[in-house]
Amino acid sequence: MQQFDGILKDFVNWKLDNDDIIDRFRSIDSKVYRRLEPVISVLNYTYQRAIYHGPLNEDLETIFQVGMNYLNEQFSVIKDYYVTLFNQNCEALEEFGDLVNYLLFIHDFRSDLEKYKKAIEMDDLDELETCIEDMIAQKDNDLEYAEKRFTQIVSETVAILDYEYTSVVDIFYEIARSMGIGLSDDTMSILSKDW
C-alpha cells in the first residue's frame, strides 16, 4: 500500500503541474483533450475513491497505475509540442490536433506491437511517425495525406498479424462507462476503428 500511496502522490503532483494546461485544452473542447479524457476521468474518480473510501482493491490499483503511466507518457509528448512548437497556445496546437492524435496513436500502437517485432517490419510505421512529426514541426496540416497513409499502414499491419488492436484510450473509455463516469459525447478515440 505504501508504494501505491506514492503513486497517488505522484498523481497529485502531476495534476498540480498540468491542471492549468488541461483546463485550457478542456475549455476549447480540444481533440487532444478528448482523446485523453477517459484516462483523466478514471484517474480522478479512482483517486477520489482512494481518498474518501480508503484503500483500493488490486484491480483498481492496477488500473490507476496503468493510467498514470500512460497519461505521463502521452502528455509529455503533447506538452513538448505545446511548449516548444506552439508557444503555449492551445488554439494553435488544436489546428494540428488530428496530427497530434495520429502521432499519439502510433506511439500506442507501436508499444502494443513490441511482442510482434520479429514477425513484421516496422519501417512503414517508423516512416509514418517521422512524416507526421515533420508535418507538425513544419505546420503542414495535410490531413488527407496523413489519414490515407495512416489508415493504409495500420490496416496492413493488422492484416499481416491477423490482430485486433484496442487502444489504451478505448479500454479506459470502457472502464469509465463501467464505473458510471460521465464523459463528453465525443470522447472515444478519434482514431478508434475496427482494425
Side-chain angles (χ1 to χ4, degrees):
M1 183 62 188
Q2 282 183 327
Q3 180 183 0
F4 188 71
D5 286 343
I7 293 169
L8 291 174
K9 288 177 185 169
D10 288 346
F11 179 63
V12 171
N13 290 330
W14 185 90
K15 284 181 63 80
L16 288 171
D17 290 343
N18 297 298
D19 254 0
D20 184 47
I21 299 169
I22 294 290
D23 285 342
R24 288 185 217 166
F25 282 120
R26 186 183 305 120
S27 72
I28 65 165
D29 195 28
S30 164
K31 293 172 188 167
V32 173
Y33 171 76
R34 285 194 318 261
R35 182 174 195 282
L36 295 177
E37 183 184 13
V39 180
I40 293 168
S41 296
V42 168
L43 289 175
N44 282 327
Y45 174 88
T46 309
Y47 174 78
Q48 294 298 321
R49 188 167 170 172
I51 296 303
Y52 293 107
H53 300 290
L56 300 173
N57 65 38
E58 190 175 327
D59 289 342
L60 288 177
E61 281 189 12
T62 301
I63 288 167
F64 192 89
Q65 289 174 334
V66 168
M68 186 65 214
N69 291 339
Y70 180 80
L71 188 60
N72 248 336
E73 180 184 302
Q74 294 276 294
F75 203 72
S76 70
V77 173
I78 295 165
K79 200 170 178 180
D80 281 347
Y81 283 113
Y82 174 72
V83 171
T84 59
L85 192 59
F86 294 100
N87 299 317
Q88 300 184 18
N89 182 326
C90 287
E91 288 81 4
L93 186 138
E94 182 60 15
E95 288 180 38
F96 297 87
D98 288 325
L99 289 175
V100 172
N101 280 341
Y102 283 136
L103 190 61
L104 295 173
F105 181 95
I106 291 168
H107 285 242
D108 287 356
F109 191 58
R110 178 188 302 286
S111 68
D112 208 54
L113 291 176
E114 284 298 313
K115 57 188 166 229
Y116 299 105
K117 215 174 191 178
K118 294 182 181 179
I120 60 165
E121 287 291 324
M122 300 286 260
D123 294 343
D124 286 342
L125 201 57
D126 293 340
E127 177 268 325
L128 177 62
E129 183 176 28
T130 300
C131 176
I132 291 174
E133 287 172 342
D134 290 347
M135 288 174 76
I136 295 168
Q138 296 166 11
K139 298 187 178 173
D140 172 6
N141 206 359
D142 186 355
L143 286 179
E144 186 176 328
Y145 171 77
E147 181 178 6
K148 181 179 176 184
R149 197 72 182 110
F150 175 87
T151 301
Q152 175 190 5
I153 291 170
V154 172
S155 297
E156 287 173 1
T157 303
V158 168
I160 289 168
L161 296 173
D162 190 23
Y163 165 74
E164 186 177 323
Y165 175 67
T166 305
S167 75
V168 172
V169 172
D170 295 332
I171 292 167
F172 270 79
Y173 177 84
E174 293 303 324
I175 291 169
R177 282 186 49 200
S178 72
M179 291 178 161
I181 300 169
L183 298 171
S184 302
D185 292 339
D186 190 23
T187 53
M188 265 312 253
S189 165
I190 64 160
L191 305 174
S192 201
K193 297 185 181 193
D194 294 327
W195 299 110

